[in-house]
Amino acid sequence: MRTSKKTEKSVVPVAPTAPAAWELAVIDVFVRGAAMFGLRKSVGMVFGALYCSRDPLSAQELQAKLQLSRGAVVEALQLLRRLGAARVSLKIGERRDYFSAETDLKNFVRGFLKEVLEPALEKADIRLSQASSAVAGTPEPAWSAAEHAFARSRIEELSAWKVRFSKILPLFENLLD
């Protein structure tokens, strides 16, 4: 059975090139860094591979090099672009996008603060307000006075931590300048 020319052109095999030993070590640094910030392992792997590459890489090349699924690579690239850690590089005559790492890590940290930490703090504020309202709205017979006091103390403790993080965020931003 013969395949169409369109099918033949769209399937471009990419020969897997395993990362060199130094690349594996650098990728591991970024995998551990990503885990520290609650990001997926694939995000660290993709950024590490881009960081180690002289030339921009396509999603297919990253997929072959890192032995990751297409979905994991695409998702990682989207997040890295939002964070300012990866940028699209165009190659004349190529239809696919190629990506390179933002090597100024200040931009990456700035993007992480804006895209991950600030929204997380905003959501925490909303959730803590909801929790406080739920505790206040729970009638006394349903809970004992001790249970009310315990719930209020936990919510107040979390609120205090949220305030501390909110105060630290501008300090991080100032350190980057």
Side-chain angles (χ1 to χ4, degrees):
M1 183 174 171
R2 188 168 179 246
T3 59
S4 70
K5 287 184 181 181
K6 186 176 183 183
T7 305
E8 289 172 5
K9 281 186 175 182
S10 65
V11 178
V12 178
V14 178
T17 56
W22 75 270
E23 290 176 304
L24 286 174
V26 171
I27 289 169
D28 187 56
V29 168
F30 288 111
V31 166
R32 291 172 191 275
M36 234 174 31
F37 291 110
L39 300 174
R40 293 179 182 204
K41 183 178 178 180
S42 58
V43 174
M45 291 176 74
V46 169
F47 183 75
L50 291 174
Y51 190 83
C52 292
S53 179
R54 265 180 219 260
D55 300 316
L57 300 172
S58 69
Q60 293 85 352
E61 290 168 329
L62 287 163
Q63 182 181 351
K65 183 178 200 102
L66 300 171
Q67 296 298 295
L68 292 172
S69 70
R70 177 167 166 65
V73 170
V74 169
E75 186 178 303
L77 287 169
Q78 288 173 344
L79 177 61
L80 289 168
R81 285 182 67 194
R82 277 198 330 266
L83 294 175
R87 60 185 177 276
V88 176
S89 300
L90 300 175
K91 286 190 177 181
I92 303 300
E94 292 283 336
R95 293 183 69 192
R96 66 176 64 143
D97 288 335
Y98 287 81
F99 301 88
S100 56
E102 174 57 63
T103 56
D104 183 357
L105 295 180
K106 284 193 282 188
N107 289 338
F108 182 39
V109 173
R110 226 180 241 115
F112 179 79
L113 293 174
K114 293 277 184 223
E115 290 288 328
V116 177
L117 279 183
E118 284 181 12
L121 289 173
E122 289 172 11
K123 288 178 186 174
D125 204 24
I126 292 167
R127 293 292 190 201
L128 290 170
S129 179
Q130 290 172 340
S132 186
S133 295
V135 169
T138 304
E140 279 291 331
W143 282 3
S144 68
E147 288 171 322
H148 264 97
F150 175 75
R152 279 193 305 271
S153 72
R154 291 296 173 119
I155 293 167
E156 288 170 7
E157 186 178 331
L158 283 175
S159 294
W161 275 106
K162 188 255 169 210
V163 168
R164 286 182 190 119
F165 277 117
S166 295
K167 288 179 181 176
I168 290 173
L169 198 58
L171 295 174
F172 279 130
E173 290 173 353
N174 289 337
L175 285 173
L176 296 173
D177 292 332

